[in-house]
């Protein structure tokens, strides 16, 4: 007896509600369907179905067996799909959701290499200002989070991005350069103190450690600009509007060309963790797995900041 075939026939009889309808769906003769189910019951030593002239009904044993049979058949189908994908060139649409700042400053620079590796994939990128959770309409969602990751989805770490204080040379010439976090209370700020209602908590040094020095600053006035969009904060800082707290992932070029300068380089705010996430699904298409593995390779896949050195080195303790 082919047990997998018998399981499929049994499940179809239940789904179709009878032997005759199952036979039509399977393109098999009704006596063959009846015989296959009978052989399965004989093999198990238990009755799975109670037959009447008008319908079939599951026995108690049949209900338990049906649940496990469905699970086994789903695993077999998934294994077949994975094996098939391994022998085919990846193709089809691949939908990606990513915060605009991460997309514009980091993601797109890697996409030509991914496209060259998989020319038959059609990447669809949506890049709104903020992305706060996984969207099931997308194959992969990139998240930049301050808080620990939590949710009903599967996520892989890509990198970390420290948050640095920056301002334009024009602003610093006009307003002076802060020497200590307490000096920020009198400066024009472009970030949102309301996100930390008890004040802005600064950490001294590069790594979080027990007993490390911290400083809490309560600004004396509201921010000159209330905006939670990183791209707009960056543009406002370059324009000389005030001091911004920006992730390193957007700062490489503007610091290198002098449009912004580091402020309080010995201090840091809470950084961002960057994740590639996807909805919890039983079967993950090979093209989705390929993109996530590519992103891990491109960004490093570790809880460290790959852009910090380009932004002026480590967060060393300086006077």
């Amino acid at each position: 007896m082919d047990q997998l075939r018998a399981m499929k026939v049994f499940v179809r009889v239940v789904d179709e509600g009878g032997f005759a309808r199952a036979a039509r769906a399977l393109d098999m003769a009704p006596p063959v369907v009846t015989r296959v189910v009978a052989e399965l019951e004989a093999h198990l030593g238990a009755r799975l179905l109670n037959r009447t002239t008008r319908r079939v009904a599951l026995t108690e044993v049949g209900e338990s067996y049906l649940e496990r049979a469905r699970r086994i058949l789903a695993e077999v189908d998934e294994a077949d799909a994975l094996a098939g994908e391994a022998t085919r060139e990846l193709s089809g649409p691949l939908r990606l959701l990513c915060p605009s700042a991460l997309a514009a400053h980091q993601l797109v620079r890697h996409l030509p290499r991914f496209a060259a590796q998989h020319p038959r994939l059609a990447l669809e990128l949506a890049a709104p200002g903020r992305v706060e959770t996984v969207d099931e309409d997308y194959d992969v969602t990139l998240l930049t989070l301050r808080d620990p990751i939590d949710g009903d989805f599967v996520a892989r770490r890509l990198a970390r991005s420290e948050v640095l204080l920056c301002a334009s040379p024009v602003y610093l010439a006009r307003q002076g350069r802060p020497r200590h976090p307490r000096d920020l209370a009198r400066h024009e700020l472009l970030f949102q103190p309301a996100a930390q209602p008890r004040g802005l908590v600064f950490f001294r040094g590069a790594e979080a450690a027990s007993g490390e020095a911290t400083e809490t600053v309560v600004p004396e006035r509201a921010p000159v600009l209330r905006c939670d969009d990183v791209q707009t904060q960056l543009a406002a800082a370059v324009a000389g509007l005030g001091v911004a707290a920006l992730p390193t992932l957007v700062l490489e070029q503007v610091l290198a060309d002098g449009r912004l300068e580091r402020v309080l380089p010995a201090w840091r705010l809470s950084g961002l963790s960057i994740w590639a996430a996807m909805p919890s699904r039983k079967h993950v298409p090979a093209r989705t797995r390929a993109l996530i593995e590519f992103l891990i390779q491109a960004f490093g896949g570790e809880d460290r900041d790959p852009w910090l050195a380009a932004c002026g080195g480590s967060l060393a303790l300086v006077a």
Side-chain angles (χ1 to χ4, degrees), residues 114-177:
F114 183 74
Q117 292 175 4
H118 306 288
R120 296 184 62 192
L121 285 179
L123 192 63
E124 302 175 13
L125 173 62
R130 299 179 66 185
V131 179
E132 297 181 332
T133 189
V134 171
D135 190 326
E136 293 191 355
D137 290 334
Y138 293 87
D139 298 294
V140 177
T141 300
L142 298 191
L143 300 170
T144 54
L145 303 175
R146 280 190 171 85
D147 299 323
I149 192 164
D150 182 34
D152 185 20
F153 48 81
V154 178
R156 300 285 300 277
R157 184 186 295 277
L158 297 184
R160 180 174 179 81
S161 183
E162 299 295 346
V163 175
L164 309 181
L165 294 172
C166 301
S168 74
V170 171
Y171 173 85
L172 294 173
R174 183 177 73 245
Q175 298 294 120
R177 184 180 292 273

Side-chain angles (χ1 to χ4, degrees), residues 175-232:
Q175 298 294 120
R177 184 180 292 273
R179 302 297 179 185
H180 190 276
R182 290 188 295 269
D183 297 340
L184 292 173
R186 299 183 297 276
H187 274 266
E188 303 289 356
L189 303 181
L190 302 177
F191 46 104
Q192 182 58 277
Q196 296 171 299
R198 297 182 181 178
L200 299 163
V201 180
F202 292 84
F203 303 88
R204 187 170 176 82
E207 301 294 336
S210 176
E212 70 175 348
T214 63
E215 184 76 25
T216 301
V217 176
V218 179
E220 296 177 354
R221 49 189 169 180
V224 64
L225 175 67
R226 292 182 181 273
C227 178
D228 59 8
D229 177 66
V230 172
Q231 298 276 60
T232 303

